[in-house]
Amino acid sequence: MWRACGATLRARPATIGGCVIAVPAALRGIVRAMWDRELADGLARLARTPCERVRTVAVEVAAEPRRWDLDLLTRLAMGELPVEERAAFFAACDRHREGGPLSGMAHLPTTAALRKVLFPMLAARFGDKPVALGRAEFLMIAARAPVPMRLWMDTASRGQGLRWSVQVVRLPEQRMRYAVSDASLLGITMGMGGWDRMRADRLEEHAALLVERVAETVAALSGVDWDAADR
C-alpha cells in the first residue's frame, strides 16, 4: 500500500451545508500517488475492478498511454480539465461498455451472500462490523484516529450491485464533512463510487479487492489536515 503523505489545506474548500466537497490543495499529492501506482502496474487493478466505469477508463487510458500520462490524469482527478475535454474522455470510455444496463445481473450475489463473505473481511481489517441502517444500507467505523471516518455501503439496487464511500465525520456530532471512494479520488466517478458488480463466482476475490480499495481510501484521507478545512 502506498503511504499517504501529510497534507495541509491552503485554501478554504468548497462546502455544501458545512460538508466539504472539494479539497484539491490537500489531495493533489495523494491523487498523483494513486494514479502513479495504477500506471505502474499497467492499470491491471483497475481492469479487474468490478465497477464497469472503472474498467472502461482503464481500457481507454491503456489505448492512449502517451496522451493520458500522470500529469494529465492528475488534472482529470482534480477537476482541472476543460469541461469539453473531460466530456470527450468519458464519451470515449463509454464506447468500451460491455452489454446493456442489466448486463451481468444474473451473476450478482445476493445481499446475504455478499454479507457472509465481505463483512468478516471488513471486520478483520478495520476491527469493526458493519451495521444495518435499513434493508440495504450499512455503516461501519473505518477509522477513529487521527481522522474519524466511517464506511457507508448501499446494496439497494439488485440490478446494480454495491456502491460505497468513506465518510470523514466531524466529532462529536458525527456530521459528515466529506465522502469519497477510490474511484472518485481518481476522478473516475463523482462522490461515492460507481456500482461494483461483484460476481457470485468470484466473490472472495472481488470482496478482498474491495477491502483493499477501502483501506487505501482511508489511508489517503488520513493524510489530510481536516481541522484546517474550517479556517
Side-chain angles (χ1 to χ4, degrees):
M1 180 184 297
W2 55 270
R3 184 172 297 172
C5 59
T8 301
L9 298 178
R10 298 179 181 176
R12 185 173 182 83
T15 63
I16 293 180
C19 176
V20 178
I21 60 173
V23 284
L27 291 176
R28 176 175 294 279
I30 291 168
V31 165
R32 186 178 179 88
M34 291 177 68
W35 266 119
D36 191 37
R37 169 181 172 154
E38 302 301 346
L39 292 173
D41 83 343
L43 304 172
R45 188 174 69 155
L46 293 185
R48 73 174 190 272
T49 298
C51 174
E52 186 179 32
R53 167 47 68 87
V54 173
R55 293 199 307 271
T56 63
V57 168
V59 172
E60 183 62 22
V61 171
E64 294 192 79
R66 292 184 179 180
R67 180 186 179 197
W68 292 101
D69 59 12
L70 183 57
D71 288 337
L72 200 57
L73 289 168
T74 302
R75 291 180 60 209
L76 169 74
M78 301 306 294
E80 297 171 351
L81 292 185
V83 174
E84 297 80 4
E85 188 172 355
R86 181 181 176 87
F89 171 70
F90 284 114
C93 292
D94 286 342
R95 293 197 290 268
H96 304 297
R97 288 188 179 275
E98 303 164 358
L102 298 181
S103 176
M105 178 177 173
H107 303 292
L108 290 175
T110 63
T111 297
L114 179 65
R115 292 176 62 178
K116 183 177 180 179
V117 173
L118 176 62
F119 284 16
M121 290 185 181
L122 289 169
R125 185 63 174 267
F126 297 100
D128 200 57
K129 183 186 296 185
V131 296
L133 294 179
R135 186 175 59 86
E137 289 185 66
F138 304 90
L139 203 63
M140 183 194 79
I141 299 299
R144 290 179 170 83
V147 181
M149 284 178 268
R150 60 196 181 199
L151 170 67
W152 170 85
M153 294 177 289
D154 175 22
T155 62
S157 177
R158 178 70 177 91
Q160 295 277 27
L162 175 147
R163 60 179 176 168
W164 61 273
S165 68
V166 173
Q167 303 174 346
V168 177
V169 297
R170 188 190 308 276
L171 297 177
E173 63 266 37
Q174 291 287 317
R175 181 157 50 92
M176 185 178 69
R177 57 202 298 187
Y178 186 64
V180 75
S181 70
D182 63 328
S184 50
L185 277 174
L186 293 174
I188 297 174
T189 62
M190 297 295 290
M192 67 191 69
W195 290 94
D196 282 356
R197 289 188 174 182
M198 301 182 188
R199 289 181 59 102
D201 57 353
R202 299 175 62 185
L203 188 51
E204 292 274 352
E205 172 194 346
H206 285 166
L209 179 57
L210 175 62
V211 173
E212 178 185 344
R213 292 162 57 205
V214 171
E216 292 190 355
T217 304
V218 169
L221 298 179
S222 295
V224 175
D225 181 0
W226 291 97
D227 289 336
D230 296 326
R231 298 196 294 266

